[in-house]
Amino acid sequence: MASKSSAILRRALLYVPASSPRMLTKSLSLSSDNVTYDLEDSVTPSAKPQARTALREHLSDLPSRPSTIRELAVRINAVETPFALEDLTAFAKLPQLDAIVIPKVNSASDLTFVTDALRHLAPGRHSSAGSNPIKLIALIESARAVMDLSSICAASPYLSGLIFAAEDFALDMSLTRTPSLSEFLYARSAIATAARAASLPSTIDLVCTSYKGEEGLARLEEECRSGKTMGFNGKQCIHPSQVDMVQRLFAPSEKEVEWAVRVVIADEKAARAGRGAWTLGGAMIDAPVVGKATAIVAKARGCEVDVDNLMNKWKDQEPE
Ligand code: COA
Ligand code: MG
């Protein structure tokens, strides 16, 4: 089972179709926690060999990852297709690749297949002594996968996150997506909970398919807030215009960080005075609340918030 790692931060996962030379180039100028080059559904079957070759060249030519991107990933084709092994063979050895996104994971054996392939194709990174293995992120997009989450989560030591894919799930279930997203409540909740139970650091929510103009951004904002409330810590994006909002809304807000800093500072003083439960602004604070505050401070640091400045501002905070 993969261990929880605070170093992995995937707020926005931006898909870039590998078949578009223009978008490949554009991707390098963007700021996003994750950029995922897509060989699956945005590339037609006849265009796949050419897209694979172009993407391989694009990645091999990179001297290093752009500093504005934390993770470079490739979405391969589903394990059940004839393309998957060719995709893995083309990319497994590339040092530029940080992660592989695997679509249509239906059972643990799909992840076992990719894990075994990586161990054969790139043993240096994937032997027991290897360091920095390619991480796996599994797309959950069928009823079968949702019912099999615990075995999927335990299937590979390289698994580091789950993604919910609404469109294929809606197809599988013969249901229609609505703006409320209530039809996905069970699947989304199951995914966020299973990932947490397996200590996977990353849970990435559905794509907001409307991306144009103010209306698109308003829908995106609503979806980000709903995903965050359900326990997701990131969201898939299909257009660069979505990324900034996703990165911002999946980072702790200014208000949250300020509250968390005040709790952490006051708790040190409360602990010294032997007080396990105390109040701040009229609300009771005890161990789980302090734990939440500590996690928010750590995440804020990861999101490049100036936490030290806030610590200084609130250094005199006392428990009430
Ligand atoms: N990644 C990188 N660049 C992108 C991009 C993406 N996903 N989507 C758009 N761009 C670029 C365009 O190339 C254009 O660049 P330019 O200014 O250099 O010309 C700019 O951003 C503005 O694009 P725009 O004209 O608004 O969009 P479009 O009509 O070219 O493309 C989509 C719209 C939806 C077809 C495109 O965003 C896309 O293909 N998204 C990803 C789809 C995908 O991967 N689906 C599978 C996963 S669900
Ligand atoms: Mg899909």
Side-chain angles (χ1 to χ4, degrees), residues 11 14 24 45 57 62 67 84 90 93 103 149 155 160 175 180 185-187 190 193 223 231 240 256 304 312 318:
R11 290 165 294 174
L14 173 67
L24 289 184
E57 271 169 30
L62 283 182
S67 61
K93 286 195 180 69
L149 281 168
S160 88
L175 52 79
S180 76
L185 190 61
Y186 175 72
T193 308
E223 284 193 13
E256 275 177 308
E304 280 133 28
N312 193 38
E318 294 288 333

Side-chain angles (χ1 to χ4, degrees), residues 283-307:
M284 193 268 289
I285 309 287
D286 63 357
V289 183
V290 174
K292 182 159 191 275
T294 308
I296 290 173
V297 169
K299 184 154 188 184
R301 284 193 195 280
C303 298
E304 280 133 28
V305 176
D306 190 352
V307 173

Side-chain angles (χ1 to χ4, degrees), residues 14-17 22-23 26 38 42 75 207 211 238-240:
L14 173 67
Y15 289 111
V16 180
R22 192 178 187 121
M23 293 191 203
K26 176 98 176 176
D38 185 34
S42 71
R75 179 164 80 166
V207 168
Y211 63 91
I238 47 157
H239 193 279

Side-chain angles (χ1 to χ4, degrees), residues 40-41 75 103-104 139 141 165-169:
E40 201 217 8
D41 283 351
R75 179 164 80 166
K104 299 185 176 64
L139 271 152
E141 32 194 339
E167 306 312 321
D168 276 282
F169 185 76

Side-chain angles (χ1 to χ4, degrees), residues 8 30 103 116 122 141 152 169 174 190 227-228 230 300 302 306:
I8 292 177
L30 301 174
D116 286 349
E141 32 194 339
I152 288 171
F169 185 76
S174 301
K228 196 174 171 183
M230 294 183 75
D306 190 352

Side-chain angles (χ1 to χ4, degrees), residues 2 8 10 13 15 34 36 40 71 73-79 98-115 118 134-142 145-146 148-166 168-169 187-188 190-192 194-195 198 200-206 232-234 236:
I8 292 177
R10 295 186 189 108
L13 180 150
Y15 289 111
N34 170 293
T36 293
E40 201 217 8
E71 182 175 68
V74 169
R75 179 164 80 166
I76 61 169
N77 286 281
V79 166
D98 301 303
I100 291 177
V101 174
I102 308 158
K104 299 185 176 64
V105 170
N106 280 319
S107 67
S109 62
D110 291 355
L111 293 185
T112 311
F113 172 84
V114 176
T115 303
L118 290 178
I134 295 176
K135 297 174 197 75
L136 305 184
I137 313 173
L139 271 152
I140 303 300
E141 32 194 339
S142 67
V146 171
D148 236 355
L149 281 168
S150 51
S151 65
I152 288 171
C153 286
S156 171
Y158 312 131
L159 186 65
S160 88
L162 299 181
I163 310 177
F164 176 55
D168 276 282
F169 185 76
R188 288 165 83 209
I191 288 168
L200 302 180
S202 205
T203 43
I204 300 169
D205 204 7
L206 75 190
F232 285 92
N233 53 28
Q236 298 160 91

